[in-house]
């Protein structure tokens, strides 16, 4: 690992200075995470917290980067990605579901199962598998819309367009002519 100054921003992505964040861990010989690794840990941690909130029947909403995580009092929980309107269910009726996240050192890949939209104050999902559409009642649509607006204010359109890797940009991608 390269040398980092005490007053530089910490590599973990917290936004704090190194001396106020991970310096003590570094001096104790603990491994520091890159910003990408810290984000993955943070996303997985937030997913677990949202599944726990769903199991307890608590409504909760959290935005993290371009993601929105939320739970409902009915025990459902979802992870949403706002740039493409993708979603995956994290919990159903208080029971945590397996989250299809593929972790590697360079990217976070999520196997999205649905697209989502908020229409007329209703949460609507469309399944990728069979294109079936469902309107789910009792979801915090007003809070979801507010989170989407906050995220879009935080990031420029150019930054939002850079979120997704095209197939040919992925490290293990096969060129289209050889598929």
């Amino acid at each position: 690992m390269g040398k980092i100054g005490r007053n530089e921003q910490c590599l973990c992505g917290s936004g704090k200075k190194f001396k106020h964040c991970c310096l003590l861990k570094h001096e104790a010989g603990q491994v520091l995470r890159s910003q990408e690794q810290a984000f993955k840990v943070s996303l997985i941690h937030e997913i677990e917290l949202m599944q726990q909130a769903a199991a307890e029947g608590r409504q909760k909403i959290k935005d993290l980067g371009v993601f929105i995580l939320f739970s409902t009092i009915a025990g459902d929980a979802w992870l949403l990605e706002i740039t493409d309107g993708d979603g995956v269910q994290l919990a159903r009726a208080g029971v945590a579901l397996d989250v299809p996240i593929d972790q590697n050192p360079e990217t976070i890949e999520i196997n999205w199962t649905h697209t989502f939209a908020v229409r007329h104050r209703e949460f609507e999902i469309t399944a990728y598998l069979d294109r079936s559409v469902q309107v789910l009642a009792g979801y915090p649509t007003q809070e979801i819309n507010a989170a989407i607006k906050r995220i879009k204010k935080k990031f420029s359109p150019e930054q939002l367009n850079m979120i997704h890797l095209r197939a040919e940009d992925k490290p293990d991608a096969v060129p289209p002519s050889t598929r």
Side-chain angles (χ1 to χ4, degrees), residues 79-137:
L79 169 63
L80 310 175
E81 191 274 336
I82 69 147
T83 62
D84 281 347
D86 289 320
V88 65
Q89 194 165 14
L90 306 175
R92 182 181 300 118
V95 177
L97 303 173
D98 287 332
V99 183
I101 295 180
D102 180 24
Q103 301 177 46
N104 66 57
E106 297 166 5
T107 60
I108 300 171
E109 291 187 36
I110 300 170
N111 185 16
W112 301 106
T113 57
H114 296 79
T115 59
F116 78 93
V118 177
R119 292 192 176 95
H120 310 293
R121 297 184 181 174
E122 295 181 322
F123 188 77
E124 181 182 288
I125 58 169
T126 303
Y128 276 120
L129 184 62
D130 61 6
R131 305 306 298 164
S132 61
V133 176
Q134 283 184 287
V135 175
L136 303 172

Side-chain angles (χ1 to χ4, degrees), residues 17-32:
K17 289 183 179 183
F18 181 60
K19 66 183 179 185
H20 295 298
C21 192
C22 291
L23 176 62
L24 295 175
K25 292 178 188 175
H26 178 68
E27 290 174 347
Q30 295 177 352
V31 177
L32 296 177

